[in-house]
Amino acid sequence: MVSADEERRDLASPSPRVSVIMPVHNTQDDYLRKAIASVLCQTLGDFELIIVDDGSDAYVRDCVMSFHDGRIVFHRFYTILVW
């Protein structure tokens, strides 16, 4: 079983044509919902939306998980990454 903090994607398309990467860190709920919805509404269906959460509060994970779309891949880091 895949945990909520691991990847979530429809395996029917193992290598999508386009990958959209969305880094987030304590992004406002309404802004994050609009951004995710905007990507999911694209006419090209063969893509994955990779959301990388850099140590956000739990509400960010809950917001992402409220979208039930197999094209979403969610990676969550529990500590802030230093570049």
Side-chain angles (χ1 to χ4, degrees):
M1 179 175 198
V2 177
S3 73
D5 295 330
E6 294 181 44
E7 294 184 13
R8 180 175 70 177
R9 178 161 57 98
D10 182 4
L11 298 178
S13 178
S15 56
R17 291 177 57 195
V18 176
S19 295
V20 178
I21 301 171
M22 181 183 296
V24 297
H25 178 75
N26 288 335
T27 307
Q28 292 179 352
D29 187 72
D30 59 334
Y31 180 74
L32 181 57
R33 287 183 189 282
K34 288 177 184 177
I36 293 171
S38 174
V39 174
L40 296 178
C41 288
Q42 298 301 308
T43 56
L44 174 71
D46 190 14
F47 69 87
E48 63 184 347
L49 171 57
I50 303 169
I51 302 174
V52 181
D53 176 11
D54 190 13
S56 295
D57 294 335
Y59 76 88
V60 171
R61 178 194 162 279
D62 295 341
C63 178
V64 172
M65 292 299 147
S66 71
F67 287 87
H68 302 286
D69 192 303
R71 298 171 292 183
I72 296 175
V73 178
F74 182 63
H75 294 281
R76 184 174 193 204
F77 296 95
Y78 291 96
T79 58
I80 298 173
L81 299 176
V82 178
W83 297 94

